[in-house]
């Protein structure tokens, strides 16, 4: 099946619009950066051409006017300002609508373009000073003025230009459209016929352009090739009548990169790092096949282990090695930098700060940290909720920050780091911090805690994740309805992750998400409880102990174990699962952690570690919170995967109930 051209354009447009948005947001922080202006202009220029080529005429027409107005900024005839960035972002959003829903939003673009034209033509120069109309006109004229004799243009395309679809004849036609041209081909790189590569680049071009056009117009012809090609543009002296000199002077033509090598060579080297766009569905199918292969390989290894056939054992070892390599490679293909997600939040913070009349700086670190693409996609909504809360609830107004001795501009920072087999993502702000007293009052008002209950700040903060819980004093368009943080917690736990909050009054709040690298395959510790086998994610396991003899005959429910001077609650999985078979004489305790909390899980036997392919539970079993999925063992049997976050939460609840009963007895 051939891909839909419209879908191809939308995918390309999405990437270009994202690049445009990032450039505009960077410009809002650095008004004088001309490289950012050029980057935004290139994105617009490409978008216009693609829209026209794929039949998205509304996009092409709107972007043409957008580009024309922005060209004044590029030439220094209009200043960069917050207002310009705001209107340009609105224009970018409109282009996105035109691409997604052709024929529905064309009329809505006129006011945006009128506003943009008025702003870039308001009679102010690049320094922001008022100019008379005559001065502004003269400035534009001076910017375009050149020697009437024209230009000498010499160029060679990148080494892979023909292979990538570049047609030099079209470039020459664009130069002819600027004015009369004398064109001479330079063929000193042409090889013998038996060595000729049909997709190779062998010709250079020497063009004498006799027209009074600005140099920018010539550079625009090569706008998307200039970084990798050889290009020389020199004014043509008025008395020049001689024939063009052959382009055989490398010192004049070739431009070198930082290492001293010609840019054409760097383009050839870049070819080795070229990327290929693959549909996400195909990667998912590949991952499913690899998962089935891992299961089949485990069964083969188990059969080979019980066989005396040396040949079968050798084949099983080879398949195990190849399956492991294929598994790691496939998982690596699915890994994407989390920076692709972070970039979306810059616009969110920019718009929220504007709507709430706050000054907020958004900082990201660890953008190169890689995470499974499925995880990245499903993290977007939870992080949006957290960031919105940080800007709305956490960040004070400029006046309040001044009164507290802080800088007017607050900071929201999002950080990602690898932590063992997990990724830790934290969102922090330097705002007012969480109000423990208000949270407690709201929890008591909702009947969640007793007025005399003794709770730590960490325990109080957990009520923020309770459905319908909100301490906002008024409902706004951003927050206050008690919807959000409970959804965040469920979403994170659905990814087999955890979330924890820390806060200091007057200093800010930090939300930390801990997530596995992938949802598909996980290292697990296999344990036995009665006749059943279960898998515990190895990333959550901290240590293993033998259950002391004094605790073997303990009561059911939540008990405590002294681990090097620290009391750790533990759960007897035999009691939780209703196991009827006799318990082993020497039971084991697996200490697992979720956030800052630790809990022990009492099992009959620790079998060992294994790669587990996670299978989702059916809808019939989806409400069972103790398990996050299942896996198929080498012998074909099914083992349930324990949900560590749910077990830790269960231990905390039992601990609170036990403390309540103790207080009642004491009373």
């Amino acid at each position: 099946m051939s891909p839909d051209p419209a879908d191809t354009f939308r995918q390309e447009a999405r990437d270009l619009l994202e690049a445009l948005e990032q450039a505009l947001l960077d410009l809002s922080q650095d008004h004088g950066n001309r490289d950012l202006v050029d980057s935004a202009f290139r994105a617009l220029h490409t978008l216009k051409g693609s829209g026209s080529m794929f039949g998205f005429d509304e996009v092409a027409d709107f972007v043409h006017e957008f580009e024309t107005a922005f060209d004044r900024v590029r030439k220094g005839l209009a200043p960069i300002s917050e207002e310009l960035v705001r209107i340009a972002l609105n224009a970018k959003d409109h282009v996105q609508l035109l691409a997604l829903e052709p024929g529905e939003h064309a009329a809505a673009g006129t006011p945006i373009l009128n506003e943009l034209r008025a702003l870039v033509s308001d009679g102010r120069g690049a320094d922001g000073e008022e100019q008379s109309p005559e001065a502004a006109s003269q400035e534009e004229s001076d910017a375009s003025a050149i020697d009437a004799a024209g230009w000498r243009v010499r160029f060679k395309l990148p080494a892979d230009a023909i292979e990538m679809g570049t047609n030099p004849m079209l470039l020459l036609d664009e130069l002819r459209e600027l004015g009369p041209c004398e064109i001479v081909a330079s063929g000193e790189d042409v090889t013998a016929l038996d060595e000729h590569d049909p997709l190779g680049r062998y010709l250079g071009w020497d063009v004498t352009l006799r027209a009074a056009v600005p140099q920018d117009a010539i550079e625009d012809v090569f706008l998307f090739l200039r970084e990798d090609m050889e290009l020389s543009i020199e004014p043509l002296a008025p008395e020049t009548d001689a024939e063009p000199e052959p382009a055989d002077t490398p010192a004049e033509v070739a431009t070198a990169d930082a290492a001293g090598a010609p840019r054409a060579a760097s383009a050839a080297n870049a070819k080795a790092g070229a990327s290929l766009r693959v549909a996400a569905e195909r990667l998912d199918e590949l991952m499913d096949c690899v998962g089935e292969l891992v299961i089949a390989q485990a069964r083969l290894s188990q059969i080979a282990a019980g066989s005396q056939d040396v040949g079968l054992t050798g084949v099983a070892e080879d398949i195990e090695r190849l399956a492991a390599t294929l598994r790691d490679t496939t998982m690596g293909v699915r890994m994407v930098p989390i920076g692709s997600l972070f970039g979306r939040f810059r616009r969110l913070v920019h718009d929220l700060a504007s709507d709430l009349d706050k000054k907020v700086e958004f900082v990201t670190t660890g953008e190169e940290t890689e995470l499974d693409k499925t995880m990245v996609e499903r993290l977007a909504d939870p992080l949006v909720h957290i960031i919105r809360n940080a800007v709305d609830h956490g960040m004070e107004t400029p006046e309040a920050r001044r009164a507290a001795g802080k800088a007017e501009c607050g900071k929201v920072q999002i950080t990602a780091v690898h932590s063992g087999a997990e990724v830790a993502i934290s969102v922090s702000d330097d705002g007012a911090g969480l109000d423990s007293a208000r949270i407690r009052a709201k929890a008591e008002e909702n009947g969640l805690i007793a007025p005399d209950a003794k709770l730590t700040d960490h325990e109080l903060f957990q009520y923020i994740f309770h459905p319908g819980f909100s301490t906002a004093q008024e409902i706004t368009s951003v927050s206050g309805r008690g919807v959000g943080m409970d959804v965040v917690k469920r979403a994170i736990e659905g990814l087999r992750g955890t979330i924890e909050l820390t806060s200091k009054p007057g200093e800010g709040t930090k939300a930390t998400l801990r997530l596995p690298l992938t949802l598909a395959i996980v290292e697990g510790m296999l344990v036995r409880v009665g006749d059943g086998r279960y898998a515990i994610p190895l990333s959550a396991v901290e240590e293993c102990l033998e259950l002391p003899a004094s605790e073997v005959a303990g009561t059911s429910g939540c008990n405590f174990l002294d681990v090097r001077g620290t009391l750790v609650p533990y759960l007897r999985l035999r009691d939780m699962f209703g196991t009827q078979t006799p318990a082993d004489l020497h039971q084991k305790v697996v200490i697992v952690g979720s956030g800052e909390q630790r809990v022990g899980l009492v099992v009959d036997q620790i079998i060992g570690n294994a790669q587990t392919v996670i299978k989702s539970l059916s809808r019939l079993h989806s409400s069972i919170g103790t398990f996050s999925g299942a896996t198929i063992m080498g012998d074909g049997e099914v083992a349930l995967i324990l949900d560590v976050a749910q077990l830790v939460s269960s231990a905390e609840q039992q601990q609170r109930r036990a403390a309540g009963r103790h207080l009642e007895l004491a009373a």
Side-chain angles (χ1 to χ4, degrees), residues 434-444 457 460-461 469 471:
L434 296 176
D435 189 333
S436 300
R438 182 180 294 181
I439 294 172
R440 183 183 184 94
K442 191 67 176 181
E444 291 178 1
D457 282 348
L460 275 175
F461 295 161
F469 192 92
T471 60

Side-chain angles (χ1 to χ4, degrees), residues 358-360 396-399 401-402 406-410:
K358 296 179 179 180
K359 296 181 179 179
V360 182
E396 313 98 324
T397 62
E399 296 78 12
R401 291 181 66 86
R402 279 199 307 270
K406 297 181 179 180
E408 286 189 3
C409 183

Side-chain angles (χ1 to χ4, degrees), residues 614-634:
I614 298 174
K615 301 289 186 180
S616 300
L617 297 176
S618 68
R619 293 184 179 180
L620 182 64
H621 303 91
S622 59
S623 60
I624 302 176
T626 309
F627 308 108
S628 60
T631 186
I632 302 175
M633 309 303 298

Side-chain angles (χ1 to χ4, degrees), residues 290-457:
V290 170
E292 297 299 329
L293 176 62
V294 169
I295 294 172
Q297 173 267 315
R299 297 187 65 182
L300 176 61
S301 297
Q302 187 166 358
I303 294 171
S307 171
Q308 302 298 321
D309 190 331
V310 178
L312 177 60
T313 302
V315 170
E317 291 175 352
D318 288 342
I319 292 180
E320 181 178 2
R321 174 176 53 82
L322 293 172
T325 302
L326 181 60
R327 178 199 66 217
D328 294 340
T329 302
T330 304
M331 290 177 63
V333 170
R334 289 170 56 95
M335 304 296 275
V336 297
I338 201 168
S340 62
L341 178 63
F342 287 0
R344 306 181 197 176
F345 304 136
R346 298 186 62 201
R347 176 72 181 279
L348 172 69
V349 173
H350 178 274
D351 291 350
L352 277 176
S354 177
D355 293 343
L356 299 170
D357 293 326
K358 296 179 179 180
K359 296 181 179 179
V360 182
E361 177 189 8
F362 184 61
V363 180
T364 63
T365 56
E367 296 93 336
E368 70 285 352
T369 304
E370 292 188 331
L371 197 60
D372 188 287
K373 72 170 189 67
T374 304
M375 301 281 286
V376 170
E377 292 166 0
R378 293 171 61 179
L379 270 176
D381 287 344
L383 286 174
V384 164
H385 282 296
I386 294 173
I387 292 172
R388 286 168 69 93
N389 278 351
V391 177
D392 184 27
H393 290 302
M395 201 63 62
E396 313 98 324
T397 62
E399 296 78 12
R401 291 181 66 86
R402 279 199 307 270
K406 297 181 179 180
E408 286 189 3
C409 183
K411 182 167 74 172
V412 172
Q413 182 167 356
I414 183 167
T415 304
V417 294
H418 280 294
S419 178
E422 296 180 325
V423 169
I425 303 172
S426 62
V427 180
S428 59
D429 65 73
D430 62 350
L434 296 176
D435 189 333
S436 300
R438 182 180 294 181
I439 294 172
R440 183 183 184 94
K442 191 67 176 181
E444 291 178 1
E445 178 186 331
N446 292 350
L448 300 177
I449 59 175
D452 57 350
K454 296 185 180 299
L455 300 174
T456 64
D457 282 348

Side-chain angles (χ1 to χ4, degrees), residues 3 19 30 53 71 103 137 152 175 210 230 266 279 283 359 382 520 530 569:
D30 186 1
M53 180 173 65
D71 190 45
S137 176
R152 178 75 171 275
L175 291 174
R210 302 186 184 279
E230 300 173 7
S266 65
L283 287 180
K359 296 181 179 179

Side-chain angles (χ1 to χ4, degrees), residues 135-384:
S137 176
Q138 181 63 40
E139 182 180 330
E140 186 168 3
S141 175
D142 291 344
S144 301
I146 61 164
D147 194 317
W151 301 91
R152 178 75 171 275
V153 183
R154 295 170 174 170
F155 69 91
K156 283 185 179 180
L157 297 177
D160 62 346
I162 306 301
E163 183 178 355
M164 299 303 293
T166 302
N167 187 343
M169 296 299 101
L170 296 179
L171 299 175
L172 295 174
D173 287 343
E174 287 191 51
L175 291 174
R176 290 191 184 99
E177 291 176 1
L178 298 177
C181 289
E182 299 168 7
I183 301 174
V184 176
S186 172
E188 69 271 13
D189 293 336
V190 175
T191 63
L193 186 60
D194 58 348
E195 300 176 356
H196 187 78
D197 180 1
L199 297 178
R201 181 270 289 147
Y202 300 105
L203 296 180
W205 306 91
D206 194 323
V207 180
T208 302
L209 173 61
R210 302 186 184 279
V213 297
Q215 183 173 343
D216 286 349
I218 301 173
E219 292 176 348
D220 285 350
V221 173
F222 306 99
L223 187 63
F224 305 105
L225 300 167
R226 289 188 60 191
E227 294 182 359
D228 299 319
M229 70 180 295
E230 300 173 7
L231 175 65
S232 173
I233 304 174
E234 300 175 354
L236 196 61
E239 64 275 8
T240 299
D241 294 320
E243 290 294 322
E245 297 178 7
D248 56 357
T249 53
E252 295 179 6
V253 180
T255 57
D257 59 19
R263 290 188 182 272
S266 65
N269 293 335
K271 179 181 176 182
S275 60
L276 176 66
R277 179 171 290 167
V278 178
E281 293 79 7
R282 293 189 179 183
L283 287 180
D284 293 338
E285 292 174 5
L286 178 60
M287 195 71 232
D288 289 341
C289 290
V290 170
E292 297 299 329
L293 176 62
V294 169
I295 294 172
Q297 173 267 315
R299 297 187 65 182
L300 176 61
S301 297
Q302 187 166 358
I303 294 171
S307 171
Q308 302 298 321
D309 190 331
V310 178
L312 177 60
T313 302
V315 170
E317 291 175 352
D318 288 342
I319 292 180
E320 181 178 2
R321 174 176 53 82
L322 293 172
T325 302
L326 181 60
R327 178 199 66 217
D328 294 340
T329 302
T330 304
M331 290 177 63
V333 170
R334 289 170 56 95
M335 304 296 275
V336 297
I338 201 168
S340 62
L341 178 63
F342 287 0
R344 306 181 197 176
F345 304 136
R346 298 186 62 201
R347 176 72 181 279
L348 172 69
V349 173
H350 178 274
D351 291 350
L352 277 176
S354 177
D355 293 343
L356 299 170
D357 293 326
K358 296 179 179 180
K359 296 181 179 179
V360 182
E361 177 189 8
F362 184 61
V363 180
T364 63
T365 56
E367 296 93 336
E368 70 285 352
T369 304
E370 292 188 331
L371 197 60
D372 188 287
K373 72 170 189 67
T374 304
M375 301 281 286
V376 170
E377 292 166 0
R378 293 171 61 179
L379 270 176
D381 287 344
L383 286 174
V384 164

Side-chain angles (χ1 to χ4, degrees), residues 590-635:
V590 181
I591 306 294
V592 297
S594 176
E596 295 182 350
Q597 304 302 305
R598 303 169 73 204
V599 66
L601 305 177
V602 179
V603 302
D604 287 326
Q605 180 188 6
I606 296 174
I607 300 174
N609 299 341
Q611 285 272 351
T612 57
V613 179
I614 298 174
K615 301 289 186 180
S616 300
L617 297 176
S618 68
R619 293 184 179 180
L620 182 64
H621 303 91
S622 59
S623 60
I624 302 176
T626 309
F627 308 108
S628 60
T631 186
I632 302 175
M633 309 303 298
D635 57 4

